Amino acid sequence: MKLTLNLINIIKRLIPVLIFGLSLTLLTGCNSETQNTTQTEDHAGEEAPAEETHSEEEAASGEHSEEVHLTAEQRADLNIEVDTLQAGSANSVIQRPATVMYNLDRIAKVGPRIEAKVVRVVKDLGDNVKVGEPIAQMSSVELGKIKADYLRLKASIKKEEAHLKREQSLYEQDISSQAELLQAELEYEEAKAEMDAATEALRLYGLSHRDIENIKAGSETPLSYFYLSSPLNGQIQERDLSPGQTVGPNETPVHVANLSNVWVMIDSYEQDIPYLEEGQRVELQVRGVNNERFEGDINWVSFALEQETRTMPVRAVIENPNGILRAGMFGTARIFTGKEMEQAVISVDAIQEIEGQPSVIVPGDEEGSFRPVAVMLGEERDGLVEIRSGLQPGDRAVIAGAFDLKSALTAASRSADHGH
């Protein structure tokens, strides 16, 4: 008995729903018949159906008839992104992988020019140095002997110079002969030649003119001591020195680098050759520094491809005023070729095929509405494609979520066809 009462209650609840559904079906059928009858009467005697004429107009304008309306929540769920189309061309910007390295014109590998032992290290890794600033104090027995010989010759030339002046004075007083004067001049020139040779030897071993002038006998600093100095303004990037270590003239244990700008080696492709040349602007973005871009110019384009990778090296000089860029960093270089930029460009992913035509989905007149526009495409490169007709630079278009919007448009079209 209880089961029978429950069944009766359920049937009572369903009766209004069934009546509403039946009424809606009858009403739709009547409206459809009335609409069809009206259309048949209105268009009796016309040669071409209105639907075909409308389709021809849409094809001529590059627009499809479908349009879909989405709520704000639906747009968010589909991750739809709309942006303004920029002017450009497939070849106006070339994007390629790149590697940061030292500017070899601004790096110095420092070492002694004579075998020497390290006394103490003045500058450590990461320290900034200026031109001529000491990096390490060294000691060389051989250099000490050359300095001692230089002091001896320095004293000798003073002696010969005094002798020459005395002979000149005696000769003017007819006290000394011309032969004695000539002999004094010869001895002075010989001493001067030896002095010049010793000075040049010291310069060859890396001593500056000031260092040579400061060589004195009896100083507290041994004559064997000298300094390794920096030849440029920069930062110590490598140090392979420790006190007591012996370093030969063929070794460069200290590297000084000026990092105010760096070289960026770009791996371009064979098809890029017609578009690349020196002087083109380059914009670099590296991993780990996402929000900063570094600018520079191409200063060398190789005339040969790498045998293994079949890539063509391109070198750019990039400004690095804050020292953020480090040798060995990987990134992406965008090369601005300077080609004409008159057409709209869009990502390849934004192009969808609708009704057999390449199309771009654009916002409709109403909020949340979208419709496809048939376009003619041009050249494609690096994920970008040119739009030669259908849309212009400055037009708004869907650049993300186009595939999902295409599915929604297709579903709306099928629903409309089924209704007719």
Side-chain angles (χ1 to χ4, degrees):
M1 185 67 180
K2 187 176 182 179
L3 179 62
T4 303
L5 291 173
N6 289 338
L7 183 60
I8 291 171
N9 290 331
I10 292 173
I11 292 173
K12 286 181 178 179
R13 284 195 217 98
L14 288 175
I15 287 173
V17 177
L18 293 173
I19 292 173
F20 177 76
L22 181 60
S23 301
L24 183 61
T25 302
L26 292 173
L27 180 61
T28 304
C30 291
N31 289 339
S32 297
E33 290 177 3
T34 304
Q35 185 177 4
N36 290 336
T37 302
T38 304
Q39 288 179 351
T40 302
E41 292 175 354
D42 291 343
H43 296 285
E46 293 184 4
E47 296 180 0
E51 290 184 359
E52 293 182 6
T53 304
H54 187 56
S55 298
E56 290 175 0
E57 291 174 356
E58 288 172 348
S61 65
E63 297 184 3
H64 300 283
S65 59
E66 297 89 352
E67 186 169 298
V68 67
H69 293 259
L70 302 177
T71 65
E73 292 181 359
Q74 290 173 328
R75 296 197 298 272
D77 291 339
L78 296 178
N79 293 321
I80 295 172
E81 185 178 347
V82 178
D83 201 357
T84 303
L85 297 181
Q86 301 297 319
S89 73
N91 298 317
S92 62
V93 179
I94 298 176
Q95 190 167 289
R96 293 291 177 259
T99 306
V100 179
M101 63 178 292
Y102 291 126
N103 182 340
L104 296 184
D105 293 332
R106 296 195 174 196
I107 187 170
K109 299 181 179 181
V110 183
R113 300 182 184 181
I114 191 171
E115 186 174 279
K117 184 171 289 189
V118 179
V119 176
R120 64 187 180 96
V121 179
V122 179
K123 293 290 184 178
D124 199 0
L125 288 173
D127 288 347
N128 293 318
V129 291
K130 296 181 179 180
V131 175
E133 192 171 359
I135 297 173
Q137 190 177 45
M138 313 289 289
S139 176
S140 170
V141 174
E142 183 178 352
L143 183 62
K145 292 179 179 179
I146 297 173
K147 286 183 178 179
D149 194 41
Y150 168 81
L151 291 174
R152 179 184 62 80
L153 292 172
K154 191 175 183 180
S156 177
I157 197 171
K158 287 183 178 180
K159 175 185 174 182
E160 295 302 331
E161 185 178 13
H163 181 221
L164 175 60
K165 289 181 179 180
R166 186 173 62 254
E167 288 297 330
Q168 288 173 339
S169 176
L170 293 174
Y171 179 74
E172 291 172 358
Q173 299 177 40
D174 293 330
I175 298 175
S176 178
S177 65
Q178 185 177 14
E180 289 174 323
L181 176 60
L182 293 175
Q183 181 64 30
E185 290 177 348
L186 178 61
E187 290 173 354
Y188 172 76
E189 291 297 329
E190 289 178 348
K192 186 176 183 301
E194 290 181 356
M195 177 70 173
D196 291 341
T199 301
E200 191 61 30
L202 292 171
R203 291 182 61 189
L204 289 174
Y205 288 132
L207 274 70
S208 65
H209 178 74
R210 183 178 179 181
D211 293 334
I212 295 172
E213 290 293 324
N214 289 334
I215 297 175
K216 297 179 181 179
S219 172
E220 294 182 359
T221 303
L223 290 177
S224 62
Y225 281 20
F226 68 98
Y227 284 99
L228 281 181
S229 301
S230 176
L232 51 77
N233 296 330
Q235 189 179 81
I236 305 295
Q237 293 295 315
E238 186 171 328
R239 169 204 160 177
D240 187 16
L241 285 177
S242 57
Q245 176 183 348
T246 299
V247 184
N250 59 338
E251 298 178 71
T252 53
V254 178
H255 294 181
V256 180
N258 186 320
L259 301 177
S260 59
N261 66 47
V262 294
W263 282 353
V264 172
M265 301 305 299
I266 305 168
D267 295 326
S268 65
Y269 300 150
E270 192 169 351
Q271 63 264 31
D272 300 332
I273 293 175
Y275 307 103
L276 298 178
E277 58 187 36
E278 293 181 15
Q280 290 173 338
R281 186 168 70 87
V282 174
E283 187 177 83
L284 176 71
Q285 190 169 13
V286 297
R287 301 172 188 173
V289 191
N290 297 325
N291 297 325
E292 190 160 356
R293 298 179 184 273
F294 306 88
E295 296 187 355
D297 301 297
I298 291 176
N299 71 340
W300 176 74
V301 178
S302 176
F303 285 92
L305 298 176
E306 298 289 344
Q307 293 297 322
E308 295 182 0
T309 61
R310 302 302 299 167
T311 57
M312 184 179 69
V314 175
R315 188 180 71 196
V317 179
I318 301 291
E319 295 302 317
N320 185 33
N322 298 323
I324 296 175
L325 296 176
R326 308 295 176 93
M329 279 184 166
F330 293 102
T332 301
R334 302 176 72 227
I335 304 171
F336 297 85
T337 63
K339 306 302 176 184
E340 291 186 2
M341 299 187 295
E342 300 176 350
Q343 300 166 332
V345 291
I346 197 170
S347 65
V348 175
D349 295 337
I351 304 296
Q352 302 296 321
E353 186 170 325
I354 300 176
E355 297 181 1
Q357 292 180 304
S359 304
V360 174
I361 300 175
V362 302
D365 296 332
E366 298 179 6
E367 177 70 22
S369 65
F370 297 92
R371 59 183 174 82
V373 174
V375 295
M376 181 180 294
L377 302 179
E379 295 186 24
E380 178 185 334
R381 176 186 288 271
D382 299 332
L384 293 177
V385 62
E386 299 172 350
I387 299 177
R388 291 187 174 174
S389 65
L391 292 172
Q392 300 294 327
D395 291 342
R396 302 276 290 172
V398 174
I399 62 171
F403 180 79
D404 292 330
L405 270 178
K406 173 190 173 183
S407 301
L409 286 164
T410 303
S413 177
R414 289 175 179 171
S415 177
D417 292 340
H418 182 69
H420 290 296

